[in-house]
Amino acid sequence: MTDWMPGAATPEGALRIGLAHGRVQSFHEDADTRDIIPPDRAASAGLDYLALGDWHGALTVDPRTQYSGTPERDRFKHNGPGTCLVVTLDGGVPHVETVDTGRFDWQDVDLNFTPDADVNTALSGHVPQDAAKRRDLLLTVRTNGTLRLPEKGALIASGKSVADSFGLFRLLTDDLSTEVEAGDLDAIATGGALRSAADALRIEAENETASEDDRQIAARALDRLWNLSQEDV
């Protein structure tokens, strides 16, 4: 799409600015590469600056070649609000300033836990105190590692308590393992049908001969049972 640029004439003393929409790399081996823009096009065409679109996040290819991103982003692929670039050209290396233009701030964060972690502190680090900022924040928190059953329950409860104040809030715990001690199940029940159910779920969640799906289902059911038991405490 930019093959014509090296041969394009420019009046003497004018800046050479290219504008194109497309990819500078192929993300699949079998993808059609005819629409690929050579990453060195600015150099090969003698451009002062090459402004690119297609990539929805801001991306610097080289000092003279950049994707500006979109004024308002629409997915978690790129963290942050929408942006534009203010580019100043004087014949030398371009001066590029990023300016936030989007209302909504997209954030996708990872939290790794150990059994002794302070879950409230870990989560609060990503929860703005200003309610107005939460309203325009779309936050996905991906958790991994291991927490004891009470701490995992506290994390889920904390997430639920703030979720409604966000534009969007997702707490993903599928990859967060649960460490269960016998005493933890006493918080569900010390006997009867509830305790029998909790014991059975714990055994199934830790059963190495069971499928991974069955173990995860049992672990999630135990998490749910624990949280339900705490709602009336």
Side-chain angles (χ1 to χ4, degrees), residues 76-93:
F76 284 102
K77 190 172 183 179
H78 310 285
N79 276 354
T83 61
C84 70
L85 299 179
V86 176
V87 183
T88 303
L89 302 175
D90 59 8
V93 177

PDB file of all heavy atoms in Angstrom, residues 76-93:
ATOM      1  N   PHE A  76     -10.008  -4.307  25.796  1.00  0.00           N
ATOM      2  CA  PHE A  76      -8.929  -4.412  26.764  1.00  0.00           C
ATOM      3  C   PHE A  76      -7.572  -4.699  26.132  1.00  0.00           C
ATOM      4  O   PHE A  76      -6.594  -4.864  26.837  1.00  0.00           O
ATOM      5  CB  PHE A  76      -9.238  -5.512  27.783  1.00  0.00           C
ATOM      6  CG  PHE A  76     -10.257  -5.099  28.815  1.00  0.00           C
ATOM      7  CD1 PHE A  76     -11.566  -5.523  28.718  1.00  0.00           C
ATOM      8  CD2 PHE A  76      -9.893  -4.271  29.869  1.00  0.00           C
ATOM      9  CE1 PHE A  76     -12.508  -5.148  29.669  1.00  0.00           C
ATOM     10  CE2 PHE A  76     -10.821  -3.891  30.819  1.00  0.00           C
ATOM     11  CZ  PHE A  76     -12.139  -4.335  30.720  1.00  0.00           C
ATOM     12  N   LYS A  77      -7.514  -4.770  24.816  1.00  0.00           N
ATOM     13  CA  LYS A  77      -6.250  -5.108  24.166  1.00  0.00           C
ATOM     14  C   LYS A  77      -5.162  -4.081  24.458  1.00  0.00           C
ATOM     15  O   LYS A  77      -3.982  -4.389  24.502  1.00  0.00           O
ATOM     16  CB  LYS A  77      -6.465  -5.230  22.653  1.00  0.00           C
ATOM     17  CG  LYS A  77      -5.272  -5.807  21.916  1.00  0.00           C
ATOM     18  CD  LYS A  77      -5.624  -6.072  20.460  1.00  0.00           C
ATOM     19  CE  LYS A  77      -4.464  -6.728  19.734  1.00  0.00           C
ATOM     20  NZ  LYS A  77      -4.791  -7.029  18.319  1.00  0.00           N
ATOM     21  N   HIS A  78      -5.580  -2.831  24.663  1.00  0.00           N
ATOM     22  CA  HIS A  78      -4.622  -1.755  24.928  1.00  0.00           C
ATOM     23  C   HIS A  78      -5.044  -1.028  26.202  1.00  0.00           C
ATOM     24  O   HIS A  78      -6.121  -0.444  26.258  1.00  0.00           O
ATOM     25  CB  HIS A  78      -4.567  -0.769  23.769  1.00  0.00           C
ATOM     26  CG  HIS A  78      -4.395  -1.424  22.433  1.00  0.00           C
ATOM     27  ND1 HIS A  78      -3.207  -1.949  22.016  1.00  0.00           N
ATOM     28  CD2 HIS A  78      -5.280  -1.673  21.437  1.00  0.00           C
ATOM     29  CE1 HIS A  78      -3.347  -2.479  20.819  1.00  0.00           C
ATOM     30  NE2 HIS A  78      -4.604  -2.324  20.442  1.00  0.00           N
ATOM     31  N   ASN A  79      -4.190  -1.048  27.222  1.00  0.00           N
ATOM     32  CA  ASN A  79      -4.512  -0.364  28.473  1.00  0.00           C
ATOM     33  C   ASN A  79      -4.542   1.144  28.286  1.00  0.00           C
ATOM     34  O   ASN A  79      -3.818   1.704  27.461  1.00  0.00           O
ATOM     35  CB  ASN A  79      -3.480  -0.714  29.553  1.00  0.00           C
ATOM     36  CG  ASN A  79      -3.798  -2.017  30.256  1.00  0.00           C
ATOM     37  OD1 ASN A  79      -4.836  -2.628  30.031  1.00  0.00           O
ATOM     38  ND2 ASN A  79      -2.911  -2.450  31.130  1.00  0.00           N
ATOM     39  N   GLY A  80      -5.355   1.788  29.102  1.00  0.00           N
ATOM     40  CA  GLY A  80      -5.377   3.241  29.132  1.00  0.00           C
ATOM     41  C   GLY A  80      -6.528   3.825  28.337  1.00  0.00           C
ATOM     42  O   GLY A  80      -7.317   3.118  27.707  1.00  0.00           O
ATOM     43  N   PRO A  81      -6.654   5.155  28.356  1.00  0.00           N
ATOM     44  CA  PRO A  81      -7.693   5.842  27.586  1.00  0.00           C
ATOM     45  C   PRO A  81      -7.255   6.032  26.138  1.00  0.00           C
ATOM     46  O   PRO A  81      -6.089   5.822  25.791  1.00  0.00           O
ATOM     47  CB  PRO A  81      -7.811   7.192  28.300  1.00  0.00           C
ATOM     48  CG  PRO A  81      -6.417   7.440  28.808  1.00  0.00           C
ATOM     49  CD  PRO A  81      -5.874   6.077  29.198  1.00  0.00           C
ATOM     50  N   GLY A  82      -8.189   6.451  25.292  1.00  0.00           N
ATOM     51  CA  GLY A  82      -7.843   6.776  23.916  1.00  0.00           C
ATOM     52  C   GLY A  82      -6.895   7.962  23.857  1.00  0.00           C
ATOM     53  O   GLY A  82      -6.889   8.825  24.745  1.00  0.00           O
ATOM     54  N   THR A  83      -6.081   8.004  22.805  1.00  0.00           N
ATOM     55  CA  THR A  83      -5.076   9.057  22.678  1.00  0.00           C
ATOM     56  C   THR A  83      -4.994   9.576  21.249  1.00  0.00           C
ATOM     57  O   THR A  83      -5.499   8.966  20.313  1.00  0.00           O
ATOM     58  CB  THR A  83      -3.675   8.538  23.064  1.00  0.00           C
ATOM     59  OG1 THR A  83      -3.307   7.458  22.173  1.00  0.00           O
ATOM     60  CG2 THR A  83      -3.645   8.041  24.497  1.00  0.00           C
ATOM     61  N   CYS A  84      -4.338  10.706  21.115  1.00  0.00           N
ATOM     62  CA  CYS A  84      -3.896  11.177  19.808  1.00  0.00           C
ATOM     63  C   CYS A  84      -2.454  11.640  19.969  1.00  0.00           C
ATOM     64  O   CYS A  84      -1.933  11.739  21.089  1.00  0.00           O
ATOM     65  CB  CYS A  84      -4.779  12.310  19.278  1.00  0.00           C
ATOM     66  SG  CYS A  84      -4.609  13.866  20.180  1.00  0.00           S
ATOM     67  N   LEU A  85      -1.785  11.888  18.862  1.00  0.00           N
ATOM     68  CA  LEU A  85      -0.399  12.332  18.891  1.00  0.00           C
ATOM     69  C   LEU A  85      -0.295  13.727  18.299  1.00  0.00           C
ATOM     70  O   LEU A  85      -0.849  14.006  17.240  1.00  0.00           O
ATOM     71  CB  LEU A  85       0.506  11.373  18.091  1.00  0.00           C
ATOM     72  CG  LEU A  85       0.571   9.922  18.564  1.00  0.00           C
ATOM     73  CD1 LEU A  85       1.482   9.114  17.645  1.00  0.00           C
ATOM     74  CD2 LEU A  85       1.048   9.835  20.004  1.00  0.00           C
ATOM     75  N   VAL A  86       0.421  14.599  18.980  1.00  0.00           N
ATOM     76  CA  VAL A  86       0.765  15.913  18.445  1.00  0.00           C
ATOM     77  C   VAL A  86       2.214  15.820  17.968  1.00  0.00           C
ATOM     78  O   VAL A  86       3.130  15.610  18.772  1.00  0.00           O
ATOM     79  CB  VAL A  86       0.618  17.017  19.509  1.00  0.00           C
ATOM     80  CG1 VAL A  86       1.068  18.358  18.941  1.00  0.00           C
ATOM     81  CG2 VAL A  86      -0.821  17.100  19.997  1.00  0.00           C
ATOM     82  N   VAL A  87       2.401  15.915  16.667  1.00  0.00           N
ATOM     83  CA  VAL A  87       3.721  15.712  16.063  1.00  0.00           C
ATOM     84  C   VAL A  87       4.242  17.039  15.521  1.00  0.00           C
ATOM     85  O   VAL A  87       3.578  17.691  14.705  1.00  0.00           O
ATOM     86  CB  VAL A  87       3.649  14.669  14.925  1.00  0.00           C
ATOM     87  CG1 VAL A  87       5.043  14.411  14.348  1.00  0.00           C
ATOM     88  CG2 VAL A  87       3.021  13.370  15.431  1.00  0.00           C
ATOM     89  N   THR A  88       5.425  17.414  15.951  1.00  0.00           N
ATOM     90  CA  THR A  88       6.058  18.636  15.487  1.00  0.00           C
ATOM     91  C   THR A  88       7.239  18.272  14.599  1.00  0.00           C
ATOM     92  O   THR A  88       8.133  17.524  15.016  1.00  0.00           O
ATOM     93  CB  THR A  88       6.552  19.491  16.674  1.00  0.00           C
ATOM     94  OG1 THR A  88       5.443  19.764  17.536  1.00  0.00           O
ATOM     95  CG2 THR A  88       7.148  20.798  16.189  1.00  0.00           C
ATOM     96  N   LEU A  89       7.239  18.797  13.374  1.00  0.00           N
ATOM     97  CA  LEU A  89       8.290  18.494  12.403  1.00  0.00           C
ATOM     98  C   LEU A  89       9.066  19.765  12.059  1.00  0.00           C
ATOM     99  O   LEU A  89       8.477  20.802  11.766  1.00  0.00           O
ATOM    100  CB  LEU A  89       7.687  17.914  11.125  1.00  0.00           C
ATOM    101  CG  LEU A  89       6.842  16.633  11.286  1.00  0.00           C
ATOM    102  CD1 LEU A  89       6.211  16.248   9.961  1.00  0.00           C
ATOM    103  CD2 LEU A  89       7.700  15.503  11.822  1.00  0.00           C
ATOM    104  N   ASP A  90      10.392  19.638  12.093  1.00  0.00           N
ATOM    105  CA  ASP A  90      11.235  20.761  11.696  1.00  0.00           C
ATOM    106  C   ASP A  90      12.388  20.300  10.810  1.00  0.00           C
ATOM    107  O   ASP A  90      13.384  21.024  10.639  1.00  0.00           O
ATOM    108  CB  ASP A  90      11.776  21.486  12.929  1.00  0.00           C
ATOM    109  CG  ASP A  90      12.589  20.567  13.838  1.00  0.00           C
ATOM    110  OD1 ASP A  90      12.849  19.419  13.440  1.00  0.00           O
ATOM    111  OD2 ASP A  90      12.965  21.003  14.954  1.00  0.00           O
ATOM    112  N   GLY A  91      12.238  19.107  10.246  1.00  0.00           N
ATOM    113  CA  GLY A  91      13.294  18.564   9.398  1.00  0.00           C
ATOM    114  C   GLY A  91      14.214  17.606  10.121  1.00  0.00           C
ATOM    115  O   GLY A  91      14.912  16.809   9.494  1.00  0.00           O
ATOM    116  N   GLY A  92      14.211  17.656  11.448  1.00  0.00           N
ATOM    117  CA  GLY A  92      15.013  16.734  12.238  1.00  0.00           C
ATOM    118  C   GLY A  92      14.158  15.573  12.722  1.00  0.00           C
ATOM    119  O   GLY A  92      13.140  15.232  12.122  1.00  0.00           O
ATOM    120  N   VAL A  93      14.560  14.970  13.841  1.00  0.00           N
ATOM    121  CA  VAL A  93      13.766  13.885  14.422  1.00  0.00           C
ATOM    122  C   VAL A  93      12.447  14.467  14.937  1.00  0.00           C
ATOM    123  O   VAL A  93      12.447  15.477  15.643  1.00  0.00           O
ATOM    124  CB  VAL A  93      14.536  13.205  15.574  1.00  0.00           C
ATOM    125  CG1 VAL A  93      13.678  12.131  16.229  1.00  0.00           C
ATOM    126  CG2 VAL A  93      15.837  12.589  15.052  1.00  0.00           C
TER     127      VAL A  93
END
